[in-house]
Amino acid sequence: MSREVTKSIPPGSLSVDEPGRTSLSPPETPTSWAEVIASLQAAVKDEALSTEERAWCESLLTVAEAHKLGMTYSPDTVLAEWTRCAGFVLSALVAGKLIGYGPLRFHFACDLATEVARRAATQSSDVSAATGARVATRTTLTESRVLRREARRVLKNLAGRDPERRAQLRRTSEAREKVNTRSKSLADLAAELKRVFKTVPARIAREAGATPEFVRALNAAAKQVVSSDQTRQRQNQKVQQTYGALHVLKGRLVHELRAMLASARDARRGDPTLSAPRSPLATKSLAKKPAAKKKPSAEKPVVVKADEKSPETPTPREPA
């Protein structure tokens, strides 16, 4: 991913909630997320996770929970917050002062961040390909519309007032412009033109435009419409799969970020010199709770006792 991340991770910056505390920062001139993550991972002892260890780390959060959590944030937001917070707690992590969070979990998070960056980079190309496939499908529909209009005009001119031929022509009409109806309509028109060759004199049919070349063009257009739509469906499915896997990875990385920051807060209670940054991603939910609606209070009826007199309204005095 060639995106600049210098603004998202200012090198050597101080945490807003940690005034006066420095941290181990990413490179001074990061050019990609991969370089930033690699610099953080290189600062920790190389710990390769086994298959069993990786499976255990992934079992901490189900796929459904990770997907739901990952849908809340964009890839850049997750990567920026994780790398920023990881830079602040890295010195404590290397020194083994983080309670309940060690190099193995950190390397697992680094692998997650690397995969998020890689998939986010390929996601844009997949979306572009899907957009191009949709445009191609619409283009083939537009081009086939011209062929269909010409074929119907040829058949109308050759049908005359014959009710049977007009009835056959009506069968080739389509209610809405869709891929399946357009393909069937083009194929029906090609078949109808083939029948015309048997009943109409050859020179008259050729003069009207009912030629074997035109029939082949109709059949080719019918296949092209279906082929372009199948390509569109494959590209859309690929994009959906990419989004789903990316959401799961983002959710797992956010979970690791929360665990790392929770360990940093606990470690700081014992050693106030340690950094414990805060992150908006560490909150359980960013959704605002709906304000409780107040029930309308019923007005109490005014009860006038028998021995109490209601205050009389004073009457204005007449001028003398």
Side-chain angles (χ1 to χ4, degrees):
M1 187 173 183
S2 59
R3 176 167 181 169
E4 291 289 332
V5 295
T6 309
K7 293 183 179 180
S8 300
I9 314 170
S13 61
L14 298 178
S15 176
V16 176
D17 44 50
E18 294 290 333
R21 297 184 185 276
T22 59
S23 66
L24 189 57
S25 305
E28 293 186 0
T29 55
T31 58
S32 65
W33 288 122
E35 290 188 10
V36 177
I37 298 167
S39 65
L40 293 170
Q41 194 168 12
V44 183
K45 182 182 177 182
D46 189 11
E47 294 285 352
L49 275 73
S50 64
T51 305
E52 182 181 0
E53 293 168 339
R54 187 176 299 276
W56 182 89
C57 292
E58 292 177 351
S59 67
L60 296 176
L61 197 66
T62 64
V63 174
E65 292 172 340
H67 187 276
K68 182 179 179 181
L69 181 59
M71 290 179 63
T72 312
Y73 312 104
S74 66
D76 285 344
T77 301
V78 176
L79 291 172
E81 278 301 299
W82 181 83
T83 50
R84 181 185 70 84
C85 296
F88 280 103
V89 304
L90 195 56
S91 56
L93 179 67
V94 172
K97 295 182 179 181
L98 285 190
I99 302 174
Y101 200 90
L104 286 175
R105 290 286 296 274
F106 186 78
H107 276 279
F108 174 69
C110 287
D111 294 341
L112 289 175
T114 303
E115 189 64 16
V116 168
R118 186 188 69 80
R119 287 183 178 268
T122 59
Q123 181 186 25
S124 58
S125 62
D126 293 339
V127 172
S128 300
T131 304
R134 286 195 296 270
V135 173
T137 301
R138 296 304 305 173
T139 303
T140 53
L141 283 174
T142 303
E143 293 175 350
S144 64
R145 186 189 309 154
V146 178
L147 283 175
R148 179 179 175 276
R149 187 185 301 117
E150 293 177 358
R152 287 180 60 83
R153 173 47 55 194
V154 170
L155 290 174
K156 282 182 180 179
N157 291 343
L158 295 177
R161 304 299 299 176
D162 188 348
E164 184 179 354
R165 291 178 181 177
R166 285 188 169 272
Q168 291 175 350
L169 185 60
R170 281 194 294 270
R171 297 191 192 100
T172 63
S173 62
E174 53 185 18
R176 300 179 66 181
E177 189 178 47
K178 291 184 178 181
V179 172
N180 54 350
T181 57
R182 175 58 52 81
S183 177
K184 183 178 183 303
S185 176
L186 292 173
D188 292 342
L189 287 171
E192 189 65 25
L193 283 174
K194 286 183 178 179
R195 284 192 290 268
V196 166
F197 296 155
K198 300 178 181 179
T199 59
V200 179
R203 289 202 303 173
I204 295 178
R206 190 181 306 108
E207 182 183 68
T211 61
E213 293 78 11
F214 191 38
V215 173
R216 285 195 292 269
L218 289 172
N219 288 325
K223 294 178 181 178
Q224 181 63 27
V225 168
V226 175
S227 176
S228 62
D229 186 64
Q230 290 176 349
T231 303
R232 178 191 62 83
Q233 293 178 0
R234 286 195 299 268
Q235 292 295 337
N236 287 343
Q237 186 178 8
K238 187 176 180 181
V239 169
Q240 292 175 0
Q241 292 175 352
T242 303
Y243 270 111
L246 185 58
H247 288 331
V248 173
L249 291 170
K250 288 187 297 179
R252 295 193 189 282
L253 187 56
V254 171
H255 178 75
E256 291 299 316
L257 171 64
R258 292 177 177 179
M260 181 178 66
L261 294 183
S263 297
R265 287 194 300 269
D266 290 343
R268 190 180 177 184
R269 291 190 180 97
D271 187 356
T273 61
L274 299 178
S275 296
R278 297 178 183 177
S279 173
L281 274 63
T283 56
K284 293 299 182 183
S285 177
L286 297 179
K288 294 182 179 180
K289 295 182 179 180
K293 295 182 180 180
K294 295 184 180 180
K295 296 182 180 180
S297 57
E299 296 182 358
K300 296 181 180 180
V302 180
V303 180
V304 181
K305 296 182 180 180
D307 55 347
E308 292 182 359
K309 297 182 179 180
S310 59
E312 298 180 357
T313 305
T315 56
R317 295 182 179 181
E318 296 182 357

